Amino acid sequence: MSEQMQAHSGLVQALVLDGRGGARHVAYDQLADLRFEEAESLWLHWDRSHPQTASWLREHSDLGEFACDLLLEENTRPRLLNLPDNRLLLFLRGINLNPGAEPEDMVSMRIHAQARRVISLRLRPLRATEELIAQFQRGEGPCNAADLVLELAYQLTARVEGVLDELADELDAEEERLDVDERYVPDHDSILHLRRRSAGLRRFLAPQRELFAQLARNGFGDVDQWNELNNRLTRYLEELEMVRERVGLVLESEDRRMSDKMNRTMYLLGIITGLFLPMSFLTGLLGINVGGIPGSENEHGFLLTCGLIAALIVFQLWLFRRLRWL
């Protein structure tokens, strides 16, 4: 069958693992009569959005209705279900590196694994599966179904670090500009967007960490490798928590700077008001239109009034310094 006809079937990849790190491709029309050696395993990777995928799962996969319903479910979160006969359903999330997509809008991968067959479904392309296929082409891929699931989980997890580095770099730049330039005002929308991105990642990575720990306890595949993935996700979650705290510190620092600036401004306005209030009172009192104003008949009255105001200013400045207001 041609690649175009295989695409129409919803099958993205069909590989028979040879048990030595390599794999051979299988066409869609060969699945019904496919036979492989005891040391070999089968990996079927499907496009979940294709209508033929659901049809094949329900009619030709030998999976129960319950498993098919879960694999085709519209919305999922990271979870693990143990099924009879040492089978399991695994729902993972990976970084969305497709053009125009937000990385924190994580892509779901649904996996049904048994001793010698792995069925995986995705809605959007994943770099993790592309890297895995490249490993098979080099003869360095997983040797069996359990190793295949482990490698898929590893590839999905490994791409989180790049997004975390990007978030940390953006925060480093903001903190550096705040330290260097006192007049710099960070963009609150972009800062809050960093917090939303970290929260979106944490939403799926936290349950995924527990999932890896459960797989290690169940003894599925290499326990040490599952523990290592669990530890790696724990570190990523700690870094995401640090990102959230650093965002809070940046916003708090900016609020404190704005508050200090406002307080200094109000303080200067208070000092200026304190200086001019007595003078305003004095000039207002001398400016009333009634008889008996002192100095109204004196030709030096204006100069005397200016001298009095000047003396009042000097006295106020001395008093403010004495009170440590200046």
Side-chain angles (χ1 to χ4, degrees):
M1 176 177 277
S2 67
E3 292 184 2
Q4 184 177 5
M5 293 179 67
Q6 183 155 317
H8 289 327
S9 69
L11 181 63
V12 180
Q13 289 288 342
L15 296 174
V16 175
L17 284 59
D18 61 13
R20 300 184 300 274
R24 71 176 189 271
H25 289 270
V26 178
Y28 176 79
D29 58 353
Q30 297 175 324
L31 294 181
D33 301 320
L34 182 63
R35 298 291 184 271
F36 45 90
E37 302 295 332
E38 186 173 346
E40 295 179 330
S41 303
L42 176 64
W43 177 30
L44 302 175
H45 187 49
W46 297 86
D47 180 359
R48 185 173 62 86
S49 64
H50 199 285
Q52 292 298 323
T53 298
S55 176
W56 184 88
L57 280 176
R58 297 189 184 278
E59 298 174 9
H60 305 291
S61 67
D62 296 326
L63 300 182
E65 184 177 354
F66 175 72
C68 291
D69 288 342
L70 290 180
L71 287 172
L72 298 170
E73 193 175 17
E74 187 64 28
N75 297 310
T76 64
R77 62 187 299 274
R79 59 189 294 206
L80 170 67
L81 286 87
N82 291 302
L83 300 177
D85 301 325
N86 295 320
R87 297 178 298 130
L88 60 83
L89 282 175
L90 187 62
F91 299 83
L92 300 175
R93 289 277 179 157
I95 296 297
N96 190 351
L97 298 178
N98 293 301
E102 294 290 343
E104 63 274 11
D105 183 19
M106 304 184 75
V107 180
S108 172
M109 173 172 280
R110 296 99 184 276
I111 300 172
H112 176 275
Q114 55 194 98
R116 298 177 59 198
R117 186 179 70 167
V118 174
I119 299 174
S120 60
L121 287 82
R122 56 83 167 163
L123 183 61
R124 287 165 285 186
L126 279 166
R127 299 281 178 85
T129 57
E130 296 174 4
E131 175 59 30
L132 197 54
I133 293 170
Q135 290 181 14
F136 285 123
Q137 293 173 348
R138 298 192 301 266
E140 302 172 354
C143 296
N144 52 53
D147 290 344
L148 175 64
V149 175
L150 176 61
E151 186 63 25
L152 281 171
Y154 174 81
Q155 293 295 336
L156 291 172
T157 304
R159 282 157 176 76
V160 177
E161 189 165 5
V163 179
L164 290 179
D165 291 341
E166 180 185 340
L167 294 176
D169 290 342
E170 292 185 34
L171 276 173
D172 288 341
E174 291 291 339
E175 290 173 341
E176 184 176 354
R177 293 188 67 178
L178 279 172
D179 292 337
V180 173
D181 188 357
E182 294 184 357
R183 294 175 297 178
Y184 173 67
V185 178
D187 186 354
H188 282 215
D189 289 339
S190 63
I191 296 295
L192 292 175
H193 181 61
L194 292 177
R195 176 180 282 179
R196 286 194 295 270
R197 291 180 64 184
S198 65
L201 291 172
R202 185 178 178 83
R203 174 189 174 193
F204 294 112
L205 293 183
Q208 198 150 296
R209 177 188 58 179
E210 301 302 324
L211 184 151
F212 292 161
Q214 187 176 351
L215 283 168
R217 291 192 298 268
N218 292 350
F220 179 79
D222 191 327
V223 174
D224 292 335
Q225 291 295 329
W226 286 118
N227 282 326
E228 176 60 26
L229 283 178
N230 178 35
N231 292 332
R232 178 174 292 194
L233 271 186
T234 299
R235 179 168 60 86
Y236 291 163
L237 289 169
E238 289 173 351
E239 292 182 12
L240 286 173
E241 183 65 23
M242 182 62 68
V243 166
R244 186 175 68 172
E245 291 182 3
R246 290 176 64 188
V247 167
L249 289 175
V250 168
L251 295 176
E252 181 182 338
S253 175
E254 176 58 20
D255 289 341
R256 185 169 60 251
R257 287 176 54 181
M258 293 297 294
S259 178
D260 291 343
K261 183 178 180 180
M262 182 65 69
N263 289 337
R264 287 196 301 269
T265 302
M266 296 302 297
Y267 174 75
L268 291 176
L269 288 176
I271 293 296
I272 294 172
T273 301
L275 282 172
F276 282 94
L277 185 60
M279 290 183 287
S280 299
F281 172 76
L282 181 60
T283 54
L285 181 63
L286 296 178
I288 58 178
N289 295 319
V290 295
I293 298 298
S296 59
E297 304 297 333
N298 190 331
E299 61 180 1
H300 301 295
F302 176 74
L303 295 177
L304 292 173
T305 302
C306 290
L308 179 61
I309 292 175
L312 182 60
I313 292 175
V314 171
F315 172 74
Q316 285 183 284
L317 291 174
W318 172 83
L319 181 62
F320 289 170
R321 286 188 175 276
R322 183 67 179 263
L323 296 174
R324 295 184 179 180
W325 291 0
L326 293 177

